[in-house]
Amino acid sequence: MVDYTSTVSITFIRKERQMEMVRHKPKTIYNLDSNEKYSEARIVGGNPIGLIDFNSTPHLWAVEIYKAMHGRRWVPEQVAVIQDRPKYKAATGAPKRTYDLVLAQLSGNDAFQTNQLMDGINRYITSGVVNCALATQAMEESIHSRSYSVMILDVTEDRDYVMYLHQHDKELYLKDKAVGEMYSRLYDKDDPTTNDLLLCFVANLLLEGMIFFGGFAAMFALEEYFPKSSEMIAEINHAA
């Protein structure tokens, strides 16, 4: 899975590392009195008019990411995960428990990410084309969430139990909570610092680069028991 927020994070760290630890307000959407040239847009800390100009941006890498994401389209119904239902009913012990935990984790994380990207990080990003790349990633996360919903509906026996498993499993709760607390630095204040933004970017790196891959690896390991579910995860991984 390619995490486009991580790309933003790394670029931001490299290019803005000399930026003093100023405080940031969410960008103004209709900012027609701004005199900032689009060719001088900054990833964070700019004063954008609110226009999106794919022709004059200094962040051409974001344009390439945006185009690449739009070149990959699929729908969850392409994979007949319902074929795993008899196998799920027959499964016992660790395979079934692992399936529930992994599906609960992935479902929750992508649901949070859908909102996190748009309602959290993106409101502080002041480059229009980077906004577009993150908006497209948020849409992809919502497709992933629907994929997990299809798996929960078509395969498991108690969909509410799997969806809200974090309420019953302490380790799953603590794993999700740890990342959420890193994000919270962005929401607990009206004017987060650059350090707060960087911590939020690190949370994205951990979530996308470690936690998601750990869940994917576990589901791939269950391919013998749930082949169609493993195929669905492979599609998500490829599409992302």
Side-chain angles (χ1 to χ4, degrees):
M1 171 182 279
V2 177
D3 171 25
Y4 301 106
T5 310
S6 300
T7 305
V8 174
S9 309
I10 294 168
T11 304
F12 174 63
I13 292 169
R14 287 175 177 170
K15 294 187 176 181
E16 311 284 343
R17 64 177 58 176
Q18 300 302 320
M19 185 180 187
E20 61 180 303
M21 292 302 160
V22 298
R23 294 189 175 276
H24 300 272
K25 294 287 186 181
K27 61 179 177 285
T28 301
I29 304 300
Y30 287 93
N31 195 22
L32 300 179
D33 294 326
S34 171
N35 294 318
E36 180 181 273
K37 294 181 180 179
Y38 202 89
S39 59
E40 298 174 356
R42 301 180 66 170
I43 297 175
V44 170
N47 185 34
I49 294 174
L51 302 175
I52 299 174
D53 185 351
F54 281 86
N55 300 316
S56 302
T57 179
H59 306 123
L60 293 176
W61 55 268
V63 177
E64 295 305 312
I65 287 174
Y66 176 83
K67 291 192 294 186
M69 283 191 287
H70 277 273
R72 296 190 296 267
R73 284 292 173 265
W74 71 290
V75 294
E77 287 77 10
Q78 290 176 213
V79 182
V81 292
I82 198 169
Q83 294 179 22
D84 282 349
R85 180 180 288 180
K87 300 179 177 64
Y88 180 89
K89 288 184 176 180
T92 58
K96 193 170 191 175
R97 174 66 174 163
T98 301
Y99 186 93
D100 288 347
L101 284 169
V102 171
L103 191 52
Q105 174 194 307
L106 294 175
S107 177
N109 286 339
D110 262 331
F112 298 139
Q113 282 295 80
T114 301
N115 291 304
Q116 161 64 26
L117 291 168
M118 296 308 302
D119 297 337
I121 291 176
N122 215 6
R123 59 182 175 168
Y124 295 98
I125 301 298
T126 54
S127 168
V129 295
V130 177
N131 292 146
C132 288
L134 290 176
T136 304
Q137 184 186 347
M139 183 198 68
E140 289 192 348
E141 305 295 4
S142 72
I143 294 173
H144 300 166
S145 291
R146 191 162 71 88
S147 302
Y148 303 130
S149 293
V150 169
M151 294 170 69
I152 290 173
L153 178 63
D154 287 353
V155 180
T156 69
E157 296 171 318
D158 187 342
R159 57 179 181 243
D160 286 340
Y161 171 75
V162 176
M163 183 64 72
Y164 299 101
L165 189 52
H166 65 278
Q167 296 177 351
H168 310 285
D169 186 273
K170 183 178 180 181
E171 293 300 322
L172 179 60
Y173 173 84
L174 291 176
K175 181 184 290 186
D176 290 343
K177 189 74 172 176
V179 178
E181 288 177 349
M182 296 179 72
Y183 285 141
S184 68
R185 291 278 293 273
L186 201 62
Y187 313 124
D188 289 347
K189 318 169 184 178
D190 294 329
D191 53 352
T193 65
T194 305
N195 265 341
D196 295 330
L197 288 171
L198 288 173
L199 184 60
C200 191
F201 293 160
V202 170
N204 268 280
L205 287 167
L206 293 175
L207 183 61
E208 298 284 357
M210 295 177 61
I211 297 176
F212 268 113
F213 275 122
F216 288 176
M219 193 63 78
F220 291 147
L222 294 173
E223 183 177 9
E224 176 184 353
Y225 299 93
F226 312 109
K228 285 299 180 179
S229 297
S230 181
E231 183 181 337
M232 177 77 91
I233 298 300
E235 287 288 345
I236 292 171
N237 189 39
H238 176 71

